[in-house]
Amino acid sequence: MRRSTFLAAATATALTASLFTGLAPARADGTTGGPVLVDANGWNEPGLVFVTAHSESPITRITAHFYPLDAPDGTQEAGSTEDFTQYSGQDATSGTWRAPVHLADLGDYRVTVDLQDASGATVTGALSPDPLQYRTILTINGLTATPSVPDYLHQQVSVSGTVVARDPRTPDTPAPAAGTPVDVVADVGLGRTTVTAAAGADGRFTAAYVPTEPSFRLFAAPLASNSYPGAIDLSTYPDQWLHTTQAPVRFSASTHALNLKQGATGTVTGHAEIQTTAGWQPLPNTAITLEDSPVVAGQTTTDSRGDYTLRVSSESPAPNAELFAGTDYMPFQQVATQPFSLHVAYTTHIGMSADLNDDGSLKVSGYVYYEDARAKWPAKPTVTLQYSEDGKTGWKNAASVPFPIRHNKPLFEETFARTFTAPDTDAYWRARFDGNPDLGTSTTKPVRLYRYATRVTGFHASADPVRKGQAFSFDGTLQYKKGTTWKPLDGGFPTLYFKPRGSSTYHYVCELVSDKHGHLEGMATAKQDGTWALALSRETGNHYLRSARVTDYVDVR
């Protein structure tokens, strides 16, 4: 009879060589085609081990040996089994075999396997890449949801089941897992809701859940507890898919069209109902929305009697829209719609973009347009730029900006632009089109623009005179003015310049930096006599103005 010894698999070889050298199987003697171990573990079936292997000849004998996972090499095995029967596979050359396992203690065990095939080729001590988890397994039996199809009148779903513990030492005698916490999970794809319950003395648990989507995946999972340390917790499988009943909805609207003058507000009133097994009844707490997707022009909610009042502003961005009762994906009701239109006479729209530069100049650009074909621009239209200290009251006019008419057609933007010295470098700004008898007034939302004045105080070289080639620093404080108070500017980058003696031109040297007290940090090297200058002029940030230049003459010897 031909007899040889083979390694099981590359992964097993690596683990054997690096972790468990004392249990390494004998190396092959050059013969090919012998048995190969793929894996050996418990597949979460208490009291069983599953061995997956293949060979060119039918596998005739399998023996599995078990060692405590953390035991040192050479430790006596905790047990073994050879009572294998084929569990899956086309024939005995490849597949999975299973056998019962009887060990004294719970825990994790490394597994080695002896294999023999019909040709006489054998593998001895092949190490499984996975351990055997010889642990108590917690499962949930009889998961039920009542009602199975929740509806508007029966929204709460009661979920129940039994938590069972199966000890691998006595796998045929499952026991109720009293006190085990259980997560009941409703998964709707983009999110999930979890309710936690506890199993009673008989292992039974009950949890209540109200669906938030018309379809959801329901499952339960036991959680780790002190009652079953190290247990394997298995979720219910397969999951249950539940679907709610979405009942028809109807609602009335006092009007399906509003004609408003600019600045006025109109209202739509009505009543919403839902159809149930008890007939049509008032539908409370449901959204009534005026929408031209994706623009929502107005929204309200029905009261306890199903009544609603929806206020519609003449500034509505959706003149042709629909009224909706309900929203998409509501679990217990359908969405109902009503047509709606809104006419606002001669409405205009305005937009503005504004930036405050670090020299205090304000750069503004924007557009104005109208929608109604009956509207016409005045002969010389203008936009007024206004500013306010708080963005709410006390608006002052800063500039009047005329803009040329290029199109004079509905929905065609007419543009304006202006750059000027801002009268206030810390204020809210807006652009306002005043209109005329044929065009309504429109105003942009206020935008705050601010830049603080800056200065450098106490600027001087730390050494004067200074030796040529010597590094020296500068003293001084970088500040900004907020209101009437000068404060230290932390993290500023004032620019250092140098003008040699006899020259009229300053040259860039580097950037200094200021600390949290505004004190200057940075060094320069003395090369020749001359004037050093400092100003916040290159890296002012978004909220600071340029500072005046300060100087100090340094004598180099």
Side-chain angles (χ1 to χ4, degrees):
M1 177 176 62
R2 182 167 64 92
R3 181 178 179 85
S4 58
T5 304
F6 297 92
L7 292 178
T11 53
T13 302
L15 287 171
T16 301
S18 60
L19 301 177
F20 312 114
T21 54
L23 293 174
R27 294 187 175 276
D29 59 3
T31 306
T32 61
V36 176
L37 174 68
V38 176
D39 199 4
N41 60 55
W43 286 13
N44 292 330
E45 290 289 340
L48 295 175
V49 63
F50 294 81
V51 171
T52 302
H54 61 83
S55 183
E56 290 186 357
S57 297
I59 294 176
T60 58
R61 184 173 182 178
I62 303 174
T63 303
H65 306 272
F66 308 100
Y67 303 85
L69 187 62
D70 297 327
D73 297 343
T75 301
Q76 183 177 359
E77 66 180 32
S80 65
T81 182
E82 59 182 16
D83 189 16
F84 282 92
T85 57
Q86 189 159 6
Y87 178 73
S88 67
Q90 295 294 327
D91 54 43
T93 61
S94 177
T96 298
W97 288 257
R98 69 178 179 183
V101 179
H102 303 286
L103 299 173
D105 299 316
L106 298 177
D108 291 347
Y109 293 83
R110 65 177 181 263
V111 184
T112 66
V113 180
D114 303 334
L115 299 168
Q116 183 175 350
D117 66 16
S119 71
T122 63
V123 166
T124 302
L127 178 64
S128 169
D130 295 313
L132 173 70
Q133 293 182 307
Y134 197 71
R135 308 183 195 177
T136 299
I137 294 179
L138 298 179
T139 57
I140 294 176
N141 294 342
L143 186 69
T144 59
T146 305
S148 59
V149 183
D151 58 26
Y152 181 77
L153 297 180
H154 310 90
Q155 298 186 12
Q156 181 169 285
V157 179
S158 177
V159 183
S160 60
T162 302
V163 187
V164 175
R166 298 178 66 193
D167 191 314
R169 295 168 297 187
T170 56
D172 296 329
T173 56
T180 299
V182 178
D183 271 354
V184 177
V185 181
D187 191 338
V188 296
L190 297 179
R192 56 175 53 185
T193 299
T194 302
V195 180
T196 302
D202 58 355
R204 294 279 298 173
F205 67 89
T206 301
Y209 166 69
V210 176
T212 58
E213 295 278 352
S215 297
F216 56 97
R217 184 170 63 96
L218 186 69
F219 64 93
L223 304 177
S225 67
N226 294 331
S227 302
Y228 297 93
I232 298 173
D233 307 318
L234 298 182
S235 300
T236 53
Y237 182 84
D239 304 334
Q240 295 186 25
W241 275 100
L242 270 67
H243 304 275
T244 64
T245 296
Q246 294 175 289
V249 170
R250 68 185 183 187
F251 73 108
S252 61
S254 58
T255 181
H256 294 120
L258 280 177
N259 293 284
L260 301 177
K261 293 181 180 180
Q262 187 174 17
T265 299
T267 59
V268 179
T269 60
H271 179 73
E273 296 178 312
I274 187 168
Q275 187 179 41
T276 70
T277 54
W280 289 97
Q281 62 183 58
L283 181 59
N285 306 318
T286 287
I288 304 295
T289 308
L290 177 61
E291 179 180 343
D292 182 11
S293 182
V295 177
V296 174
Q299 190 172 58
T300 189
T301 303
T302 58
D303 61 18
S304 60
R305 299 181 301 274
D307 299 325
Y308 71 90
T309 298
L310 176 66
R311 301 189 181 279
V312 183
S313 169
S314 62
E315 300 299 325
S316 169
N320 295 294
E322 282 187 296
L323 288 166
F324 291 84
T327 58
D328 291 338
Y329 307 113
M330 297 189 72
F332 304 111
Q333 65 187 69
Q334 299 174 6
V335 177
T337 63
Q338 296 269 14
F340 182 85
S341 64
L342 170 68
H343 173 72
V344 180
Y346 307 103
T347 300
T348 62
H349 302 271
I350 185 170
M352 179 189 74
S353 175
D355 293 295
L356 191 61
N357 300 320
D358 59 8
D359 62 357
S361 63
L362 181 65
K363 182 179 181 181
V364 179
S365 62
Y367 62 86
V368 185
Y369 70 92
Y370 58 80
E371 297 180 355
D372 198 299
R374 294 170 293 175
K376 300 295 180 183
W377 293 111
K380 296 181 179 179
T382 61
V383 167
T384 302
L385 302 180
Q386 300 177 315
Y387 66 98
S388 163
E389 294 298 323
D390 61 6
K392 299 177 181 178
T393 60
W395 288 98
K396 300 177 182 178
N397 295 340
S400 180
V401 183
F403 58 93
I405 301 301
R406 296 182 175 88
H407 308 288
N408 203 22
K409 294 180 180 180
L411 301 175
F412 276 75
E413 296 177 356
E414 308 292 353
T415 60
F416 61 90
R418 172 67 66 86
T419 299
F420 62 98
T421 300
D424 193 333
T425 56
D426 186 358
Y428 289 85
W429 288 86
R430 71 182 185 183
R432 178 182 178 89
F433 176 70
D434 290 325
N436 61 12
D438 295 324
L439 291 174
T441 300
S442 54
T443 306
T444 62
K445 291 183 178 180
V447 56
R448 187 188 177 196
L449 300 174
Y450 63 95
R451 283 184 181 268
Y452 301 125
T454 61
R455 70 180 182 182
V456 179
T457 62
F459 176 72
H460 66 278
S462 61
D464 186 18
V466 62
R467 185 178 303 167
K468 186 175 183 179
Q470 179 180 346
F472 64 98
S473 61
F474 296 91
D475 295 324
T477 302
L478 181 61
Q479 298 175 321
Y480 72 98
K481 189 176 184 181
K482 187 172 184 180
T484 60
T485 304
W486 287 97
K487 297 184 178 183
L489 177 52
D490 180 14
F493 293 92
T495 305
L496 184 66
Y497 302 89
F498 178 68
K499 181 178 70 174
R501 186 180 66 181
S503 173
S504 61
T505 303
Y506 280 100
H507 301 282
Y508 169 81
V509 178
C510 66
E511 310 287 343
L512 301 184
V513 68
S514 60
D515 64 15
K516 65 180 180 180
H517 302 293
H519 297 159
L520 300 177
E521 295 179 349
M523 305 288 289
T525 302
K527 295 183 179 179
Q528 56 183 317
D529 296 346
T531 302
W532 295 86
L534 189 73
L536 189 66
S537 59
R538 289 163 57 90
E539 298 291 343
T540 61
N542 293 328
H543 299 302
Y544 299 100
L545 296 170
R546 296 175 182 174
S547 71
R549 182 179 291 176
V550 293
T551 63
D552 186 29
Y553 185 85
V554 176
D555 184 17
V556 179
R557 298 179 181 177

